[in-house]
Amino acid sequence: MARVYNFSAGPSMLPEAVLKTAADEMLDYQGSGQSVMEMSHRSKTYDKIIKDAEALLREIMNIPDNYKVMFLQGGGSTQFAMVALNFMNKNNKADYIITGQWAKKAYKEAARYGDAKAVASSEDKTFSYIPKTDKSMFREDADYVYICMNNTIYGTVYHELPDTGDIPLIADISSCILSEPIDVTKFGALFAGAQKNMAPAGLTIAIVREDLIGNAMDICPTMLNYKTHADADSLFNTPPCYTIYIAKLVLEWIKNEVGGLDKMKELNEKKAKLLYDFLDNSELFKGTVVPEDRSLMNVPFVTGNPDLDAKFVKEATEAGLVNIKGHRTVGGMRASIYNAMPYEGVVALVDFMKKFEAENK
Ligand SMILES: *Cc1c(COP(=O)(O)O)cnc(C)c1O
């Protein structure tokens, strides 16, 4: 059976080599006589898997020792509450930059627990750019400033981080984790749902500076307190064992096959350039994001004619280029070209777009 090129915003493609290893190890993981799915999370065999996954993540992302790495559940969306419950703890104030649906949801969740302020937004132009900010826009007594680094739905990314001075910067990196190097020291905390660039759904990564852990609000549920999971090395309760195992395989793929995040970035830039260059020169298709804020991971584009967009999506699907329909708030198409999308997949997409353009002029 032929595999399709899956341009879904998430869950998304996984590297084929990872799927093959997982298949090979499905019935008998390295002589244990069982699948990782069936294994006790307290077993020696599993302990090595979760420890290796953390060590690999630390090595690949260059995470300093004063940051805790946690393997959690509940998706990016649970982090919206966790961030507020754990970090809105001194003055009960936090500043949010609204760059799309995910940032807005995080802001609304925080507003349930304290004084959340939307300090900037790009909603006026359907989130097609990253709003400019400077230090004076943030409240001096804000407990943190929050951003969504890569905006999955709208295809924008922060190429330059906001200057927040001494206020900790918290970022949702769900759709750009591991796509390029990130300077972790610039953040108080980072989190990501795994299903975009790391693993199947079910795992959420949190990377939190140690001094920010341990001051959660009194009402914070035990399971939503970072301290609970940091103190227990992510084994307070049963973690998403199998998903962590796949994340480990993906991390090994990045380290050994790709050659690290600098290389990963090069590959991602090469893929994105192919698509953006085509969009910039096409007479039919156009990108929806201002060039300086374009994402390497999510590329929304339109023809300007909803009927033609629908025809494109239908014919692309028939050609094995699937899940390319845009989000309903943007319309048109969106190609998510995460780490595991091979270069050949983007070549196939651009070739198909050329053909479609010629046939529909
Ligand atoms: C997908 C996504 C989320 C939501 O993740 P869930 O795991 O579905 O809760 C949050 N933020 C960003 C940037 C995303 O891309």
Side-chain angles (χ1 to χ4, degrees):
M1 192 211 123
R3 280 175 57 77
V4 293
Y5 290 119
N6 179 6
F7 293 92
S8 171
S12 46
M13 292 182 80
L14 286 163
E16 214 168 283
V18 165
L19 295 175
K20 283 188 172 143
T21 303
D24 285 347
E25 294 182 333
M26 178 61 77
L27 293 183
D28 176 11
Y29 177 75
Q30 299 188 358
S32 65
Q34 53 187 315
S35 163
V36 176
M37 286 188 202
E38 304 164 298
M39 211 172 264
S40 164
H41 59 296
R42 310 268 175 217
S43 65
K44 256 205 172 115
T45 311
Y46 191 74
D47 198 57
K48 178 158 166 51
I49 293 174
I50 192 168
K51 293 241 163 55
D52 285 353
E54 178 176 341
L56 279 162
L57 187 69
R58 284 184 177 279
E59 180 186 342
I60 291 168
M61 285 186 72
N62 199 13
I63 301 172
D65 287 344
N66 65 323
Y67 284 75
K68 290 281 187 191
V69 169
M70 287 161 262
F71 296 116
L72 308 172
Q73 303 191 53
S77 301
T78 298
Q79 291 303 302
F80 301 162
M82 261 177 106
V83 162
L85 289 163
N86 283 267
F87 304 138
M88 233 184 187
N89 49 12
K90 289 198 188 89
N91 301 314
N92 204 226
K93 285 183 185 175
D95 289 353
Y96 279 71
I97 303 179
I98 312 296
T99 50
Q101 306 277 352
W102 295 121
K104 198 189 237 179
K105 282 186 176 168
Y107 160 69
K108 283 191 174 157
E109 192 68 15
R112 303 182 63 209
Y113 300 109
D115 174 4
K117 182 180 174 195
V119 289
S121 166
S122 50
E123 192 161 15
D124 59 336
K125 292 185 181 158
T126 326
F127 300 115
S128 57
Y129 68 102
I130 298 286
K132 298 265 176 297
T133 53
D134 67 68
K135 215 159 72 177
S136 69
M137 294 165 74
F138 305 117
R139 293 178 291 184
E140 269 170 28
D141 58 349
D143 291 326
Y144 60 87
V145 173
Y146 181 100
I147 62 168
C148 179
M149 188 128 156
N150 183 77
N151 295 280
T152 324
I153 294 174
Y154 301 96
T156 60
V157 71
Y158 276 88
H159 289 296
E160 204 177 312
L161 294 174
D163 176 8
T164 63
D166 293 334
I167 310 171
L169 180 62
I170 312 286
D172 176 355
I173 56 167
S174 292
S175 52
C176 59
I177 188 168
L178 300 173
S179 65
E180 59 182 318
I182 285 186
D183 183 355
V184 175
T185 65
K186 295 255 188 313
F187 299 88
L190 295 162
F191 69 83
Q195 71 272 26
K196 315 287 163 70
N197 231 357
M198 261 195 105
L203 168 66
T204 311
I205 303 283
I207 302 165
V208 183
R209 211 174 65 206
E210 269 169 2
D211 61 288
L212 297 175
I213 299 174
N215 304 298
M217 295 178 188
D218 290 340
I219 60 159
C220 182
T222 305
M223 277 295 289
L224 299 190
N225 193 326
Y226 289 116
K227 188 169 168 41
T228 303
H229 302 285
D231 286 352
D233 293 328
S234 302
L235 289 164
F236 174 77
N237 70 325
T238 320
C241 302
Y242 194 77
T243 312
I244 292 169
Y245 156 71
I246 300 288
K248 182 188 87 101
L249 296 182
V250 169
L251 290 163
E252 284 170 348
W253 174 78
I254 291 176
K255 183 181 165 180
N256 303 324
E257 302 298 317
V258 176
L261 291 189
D262 286 316
K263 273 276 159 37
M264 195 78 250
K265 182 183 186 190
E266 255 175 55
L267 291 173
N268 286 329
E269 282 176 342
K270 191 173 157 210
K271 284 187 286 178
K273 184 173 179 339
L274 185 67
L275 188 47
Y276 284 125
D277 282 353
F278 172 74
L279 288 171
D280 288 344
N281 291 300
S282 166
E283 282 172 27
L284 181 63
F285 299 101
K286 77 174 194 356
T288 58
V289 169
V290 299
E292 62 270 26
D293 296 329
R294 283 170 166 175
S295 165
L296 285 181
M297 297 282 100
N298 312 97
V299 183
F301 56 95
V302 295
T303 64
N305 173 347
D307 294 336
L308 208 51
D309 288 348
K311 183 171 184 237
F312 179 86
V313 170
K314 181 171 175 289
E315 292 181 8
T317 307
E318 287 160 8
L321 308 167
V322 308
N323 290 320
I324 203 153
K325 193 172 187 294
H327 191 267
R328 64 185 185 284
T329 57
V330 183
M333 284 68 69
R334 170 180 45 171
S336 294
I337 48 175
Y338 296 116
N339 286 355
M341 171 62 67
Y343 183 72
E344 296 72 38
V346 183
V347 171
L349 173 61
V350 169
D351 285 349
F352 181 81
M353 289 167 79
K354 281 181 190 158
K355 179 166 148 287
F356 187 87
E357 180 165 344
E359 290 168 358
N360 293 277
K361 261 202 194 136

